[in-house]
């Protein structure tokens, strides 16, 4: 069914719309190329209380079963310069813009801040939901406002930065995933900013590129992209959704005890003096899961934080593996792991290890 601004299809395969490449079907799929058509679409009586999944490139979701209700994809991908001053610029990007393309668009116009987030998969619309972050930078620092369709009022609403309630891999949008449909994000980006090279491996990669002294922001983006390409499997080759688990935040005393027992465990500031952030990848690797495979569900050999689909794993297979990993880490280190991707059609639950399990 086609209407002005969108097209609705029934019983649609989502295998090509998620980076895990798992087989799942959408009961109803709406491809929306005009976000101003959302009030008309979402006012349909049969959609008033239907489950809703907003799907961009499917890079931060695990489909553990078929998707009931409406799956919504925003396809418009425009970028516009709203304000331009001597020191900064305000840029608006549609939800459907590819994130990495947007990062390079900003760098190409002399804007900086997003270079440490280069090559993160997904769309601009997904970036505020998870408050995406990498190599010492979080996107929330640069977001000026977010435009979203409010499903309760059936109106487009503007969220100022403070309204987004950004936290580590969290936001107001993540806490109520079926209420707001992000349609546009505005970024306030500086034209001059010290490059952030303090994260492990970045300085070494720049040196390997033959860059001495302070790199340009574009050179830093290239170094970050090389690091990501080497450490993380390409979803186009091996199905995955990037980092599957959040780095756990624990009490400082817990971190100190673990660090004393395991001196190589990376420990970072946790956002408050009383907390610390641990490396989930280190914990999973130390528990013996790196490179593990059960059928076609596995853990990447490059990075223990990445679950992979070697071909025909189901979403349920991958979800069960995630539960086994979390149960193993809990048993060995007393630390709970939490998934980063949104789980659809299943429930994440740590599974206690059996004798002889990795």
């Amino acid at each position: 069914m086609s209407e002005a601004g969108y097209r609705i299809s029934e019983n649609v395969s989502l295998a090509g719309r998620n980076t895990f490449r798992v087989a799942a079907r959408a009961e109803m799929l709406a491809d929306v190329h005009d976000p101003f058509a959302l009030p008309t679409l979402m006012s349909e009586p049969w959609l008033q209380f239907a489950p809703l999944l907003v799907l961009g490139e499917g890079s931060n979701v695990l489909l553990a079963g078929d998707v009931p209700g409406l799956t919504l994809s925003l396809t418009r991908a425009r970028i516009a310069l709203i304000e331009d001053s001597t020191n900064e610029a305000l840029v608006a990007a549609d939800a459907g813009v590819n994130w990495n393309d947007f990062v390079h668009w900003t760098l190409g116009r002399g804007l900086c801040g997003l270079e440490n987030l280069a090559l993160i998969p997904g769309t601009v619309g997904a970036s505020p939901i998870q408050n995406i972050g990498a190599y010492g930078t979080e996107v929330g620092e640069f977001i000026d406002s977010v435009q979203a369709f409010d499903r309760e009022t059936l109106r487009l609403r503007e969220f100022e930065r403070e309204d987004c309630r950004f936290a580590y891999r969290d936001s107001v949008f993540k806490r109520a995933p079926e209420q707001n449909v992000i349609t546009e994000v505005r970024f306030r980006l500086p034209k001059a900013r010290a490059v952030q090279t303090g994260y492990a491996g970045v300085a070494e990669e720049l040196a390997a590129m033959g860059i001495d002294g302070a790199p340009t922001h574009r050179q830093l983006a290239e170094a970050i992209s090389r690091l990501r390409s080497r450490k993380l499997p390409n979803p186009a080759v091996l199905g995955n959704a990037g980092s599957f688990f959040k780095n756990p935040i624990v009490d400082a005393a817990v971190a100190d005890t673990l660090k004393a027992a395991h001196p190589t465990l990376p420990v970072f500031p946790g956002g408050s003096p009383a907390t610390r952030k641990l490396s989930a990848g280190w914990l999973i690797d130390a528990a013996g899961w790196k490179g593990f495979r059960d059928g076609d569900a596995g853990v990447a050999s490059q990075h223990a934080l990445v679950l992979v689909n070697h071909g025909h794993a189901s979403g349920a297979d991958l979800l069960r593996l995630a539960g086994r990993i979390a149960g193993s880490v809990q048993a060995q280190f007393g630390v709970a792991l939490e998934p980063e991707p949104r789980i659809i059609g299943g429930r994440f639950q740590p599974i206690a290890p059996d004798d002889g399990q990795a």
Side-chain angles (χ1 to χ4, degrees):
M1 179 176 69
S2 289
E3 297 290 345
Y6 60 88
R7 178 180 178 83
I8 296 180
S9 307
E10 296 183 44
N11 189 28
V12 179
S13 171
L14 298 177
R17 292 182 182 243
N18 72 96
T19 59
F20 265 123
R21 302 213 303 274
V22 296
R25 304 193 74 83
E27 181 181 2
M28 303 291 293
L29 174 69
D31 286 305
V32 179
H33 59 265
D34 181 0
F36 291 100
L38 283 171
T40 301
L41 169 63
M42 300 305 290
S43 63
E44 292 283 351
W46 59 276
L47 286 178
Q48 290 290 307
F49 304 103
L52 174 67
L53 171 64
V54 181
L55 194 64
E57 294 180 356
S59 61
N60 199 47
V61 64
L62 175 59
L63 303 178
D66 290 339
V67 183
L70 180 67
T71 300
L72 184 70
S73 176
L74 294 165
T75 61
R76 197 174 77 171
R78 301 177 184 175
I79 305 173
L81 187 64
I82 305 300
E83 297 174 7
D84 191 12
S85 68
T86 302
N87 299 319
E88 64 179 19
L90 181 66
V91 179
D94 282 335
V97 173
N98 173 272
W99 173 257
N100 191 53
D101 289 348
F102 176 66
V103 171
H104 287 280
W105 186 96
T106 64
L107 291 169
R109 284 153 182 79
L111 305 176
C112 51
L114 304 181
E115 53 275 358
N116 290 58
L117 306 179
L119 210 62
I120 291 179
T123 60
V124 165
S127 64
I129 298 173
Q130 189 79 356
N131 187 19
I132 59 171
Y135 295 96
T137 299
E138 289 185 340
V139 73
E141 178 183 353
F142 300 99
I143 288 178
D144 181 81
S145 63
V146 175
Q147 184 185 76
F149 174 78
D150 187 326
R151 203 174 172 199
E152 289 185 3
T153 64
L154 298 180
R155 295 177 181 271
L156 290 169
R157 174 185 171 186
E158 197 82 14
F159 288 80
E160 299 298 329
R161 183 180 182 279
E162 56 271 20
D163 300 327
C164 298
R165 300 178 192 171
F166 290 124
Y168 173 62
R169 301 297 182 271
D170 197 17
S171 70
V172 68
F173 309 108
K174 185 173 182 179
R175 293 167 216 167
E178 295 195 15
Q179 181 175 339
N180 297 294
V181 179
I182 294 174
T183 59
E184 179 188 278
V185 185
R186 294 193 173 193
F187 300 83
R188 193 167 294 278
L189 300 170
K191 295 185 175 181
R193 181 175 185 260
V195 290
Q196 309 297 310
T197 60
Y199 202 90
V202 176
E204 292 80 359
E205 188 65 29
L206 288 164
M209 293 168 59
I211 298 170
D212 298 321
T216 66
H217 296 282
R218 296 186 80 164
Q219 287 172 331
L220 180 55
E222 174 63 21
I224 296 295
S225 297
R226 291 187 182 202
L227 279 168
R228 290 186 66 90
S229 295
R230 190 164 61 251
K231 293 172 66 175
L232 303 174
N234 184 344
V237 178
L238 188 61
N240 74 89
S243 299
F244 193 87
F245 293 100
K246 298 179 184 179
N247 287 323
I249 295 176
V250 300
D251 290 342
V254 172
D256 291 343
T257 300
L258 286 169
K259 185 70 173 177
H262 309 281
T264 60
L265 169 64
V267 177
F268 310 98
S272 74
T275 62
R276 301 289 185 270
K277 186 189 297 182
L278 307 180
S279 168
W282 187 96
L283 294 169
I284 296 166
D285 194 355
W289 290 97
K290 188 176 181 180
F292 176 85
R293 180 168 177 173
D294 181 6
D296 277 350
V299 180
S301 58
Q302 302 102 308
H303 202 306
L305 204 52
V306 180
L307 269 61
V308 295
N309 178 5
H310 286 282
H312 299 287
S314 68
D317 293 335
L318 289 159
L319 183 58
R320 186 174 188 280
L321 176 58
R324 291 175 63 192
I325 292 169
S328 172
V329 168
Q330 177 77 55
Q332 293 191 47
F333 300 104
V335 176
L337 294 181
E338 182 181 346
E340 278 198 28
R342 184 178 174 191
I343 310 297
I344 304 296
R347 185 168 69 90
F348 170 76
Q349 184 173 2
I351 301 171
D354 299 324
D355 291 342
Q357 181 178 300

